[in-house]
Amino acid sequence: MTKLQDDLKHTDQLLQLTKEFSSEFLSSLDRLAADKVTQVDIRPVMPEEGVGGAEALELFRQQYGDALTAAAGPRYWGFVTGGVTPAALMGDWLTAAVDLNAADKSSATFTIETETIAFLKQLFGLPEEFLGSFVTGATMANFTGLAMGRQWLGKQRGIDIGRDGMAGLPDLQVVSCVPHSSTAKSMAMLGLGRNNIVKIPALPGRESIDVAALEAFLASKEGQPVIFVASAGTVNTVDFDDIAAVVELKQRYPFWLHVDAAFGGFAACSEEHRHLLKGWEYADSITIDAHKWLNVPYDAAMIFSRHPSLQVEVFQNAGAAYLGDPAANFNFINYGPENSRRQRALPAWFSLMAYGKEGYRQIVDNNVKLARQLGELIVANPDFRLLSPVRLCVVCFTLNVAADVQETKVNEFLDALNASGVVCMTRTVYAGQPAIRAALVNWRTTGDDVQMAYQAMTQIANTILNQHTYA
């Protein structure tokens, strides 16, 4: 009997072993190091005959078990990473177990994605006419939105870029204020070129676009269409462009409005903060990331668009008879970059169904409250300097030291803080200063986590700063 046949015979036992390992890991998330990585020796020699599932799990435990960090835990505040809700985990396990292709309309997978997108539009208050679909993450959502914008730009000049390519269109521009790095990456992939992004000034002391400066730029184009990428939650300070004011400009100037709301879109869940998104219902395309504040597993995000005809012009599987006629038979694979993909909608369906609008309102409001608490603690401590008001869920600060040693001390502080395993934060630069950012979007995070993190922060800052004079 081969190892594969033997594993088939004992599938239930293998799943039980996997469950026990997973349960042990999840039960220790509150105690695990947030970002303290144990060095792992790589053994890149594939076995000739294989060892079977049970032995593979044991080898995994021995080689990698101590190097599993708590990126899904309550004190991982690096990047913008949510955890995995219990219901989302259920959905993800089922996704792997049933192994359905999201393009297969002969099974329930198509209906599940359609229903999940409907739930999400209701959660975010987006109009029914928006078409939504799942992609791997915010990068691919931004890529899809910009691809539609590129198609729209071409059509303004009588060219079908999806069909005929970019020839004759060397001067296409993307305009933004504080774009995420994935915007430039998407431009490179789309043939628009990273250097063709035009950055409009921000308001003083903000990361929000100066709408008057944007209008002056649009007026200077004399009717030439562009793509504008609005920020609905910048990564450093969660600042928002005035989307309503930008929408008003669309009445006078031709541009495609893409809203990058990767995590800022979840402000729609909160009565206190949903005004930040006023006007986004008039956008042409919107990015929202699911493995951030929705707290479902990697990889999952959504692209919403009010121009599905442009989507299909770009992403259709023309000439693939076995996939059917894109014009006559709707299928998500004709509206996004991927054909074969896992059923990313199911973890989201489980979590949305399990916790509802109220559950996500509580997650968002709790994270914002805790971020404000951390900001208040930082303001009260002379070792730190808050660089921006805490607008939503990210706290951006630096060490209160002289400029000539700031970068060195910030690096020392972060290295020591992350090595402590108590909390993880990331480096950044804000207003030209070396800075630190903490992003709180995990459903597990509590006030005790904030206090635990702050205690580690103060101890490490005191040790590192020692005799240095405050700025």
Side-chain angles (χ1 to χ4, degrees), residues 253-461:
Y253 305 98
F255 61 93
W256 178 275
L257 174 57
H258 175 72
V259 177
D260 185 351
F263 64 100
F266 287 87
C269 300
S270 169
E271 292 183 9
E272 180 182 355
H273 299 99
R274 63 177 54 132
H275 70 278
L276 295 169
L277 296 163
K278 183 180 179 182
W280 78 328
E281 65 272 17
Y282 298 107
D284 295 295
S285 54
I286 299 173
T287 284
I288 304 179
D289 211 336
H291 57 244
K292 290 184 169 62
W293 229 338
L294 197 65
N295 281 247
V296 303
Y298 280 100
D299 51 14
M302 295 80 63
I303 177 69
F304 294 94
S305 163
R306 60 170 59 253
H307 303 283
S309 62
L310 288 174
Q311 276 180 272
V312 76
E313 287 179 10
V314 177
F315 296 110
Q316 63 180 291
N317 286 273
Y322 73 102
L323 294 176
D325 182 359
N329 184 25
F330 179 89
N331 193 311
F332 285 111
I333 64 172
N334 293 314
Y335 294 81
E338 303 146 312
N339 284 349
S340 300
R341 58 182 173 90
R342 77 196 306 264
Q343 192 182 26
R344 298 187 186 96
L346 191 53
W349 184 93
F350 262 81
S351 203
L352 292 165
M353 185 64 76
Y355 311 119
K357 291 182 179 180
E358 179 60 19
Y360 279 97
R361 182 195 66 76
Q362 291 175 1
I363 291 173
V364 170
D365 284 344
N366 180 61
N367 286 151
V368 173
K369 179 186 73 173
L370 296 176
R372 287 173 175 170
Q373 288 179 8
L374 180 61
E376 290 166 1
L377 291 169
I378 287 171
V379 167
N381 189 325
D383 286 345
F384 302 115
R385 184 164 70 249
L386 193 67
L387 293 177
S388 173
V390 179
R391 295 188 175 89
L392 211 61
C393 58
V394 174
V395 183
C396 188
F397 66 102
T398 192
L399 296 181
N400 198 18
V401 294
D404 62 336
V405 297
Q406 189 176 35
E407 183 171 4
T408 299
K409 292 304 171 184
V410 164
N411 288 339
E412 289 179 10
F413 172 80
L414 263 178
D415 288 344
L417 183 66
N418 291 342
S420 75
V422 175
V423 64
C424 175
M425 301 180 190
T426 48
R427 292 172 176 80
T428 192
V429 175
Y430 178 72
Q433 298 186 66
I436 305 152
R437 54 182 294 283
L440 285 69
V441 293
N442 189 295
W443 66 274
R444 293 174 178 265
T445 308
T446 67
D448 289 342
D449 293 304
V450 171
Q451 290 298 328
M452 191 183 305
Y454 179 68
Q455 183 176 8
M457 291 164 59
T458 54
Q459 291 173 350
I460 292 169

Side-chain angles (χ1 to χ4, degrees), residues 21 63 71 90 114 138 185 202 209 231 245 257 337 354 356 422 434 452 461 467:
F21 181 92
Q63 184 168 356
M90 294 166 65
T114 301
K185 182 173 184 175
I209 194 165
S231 294
L257 174 57
V422 175
M452 191 183 305
Q467 300 298 321

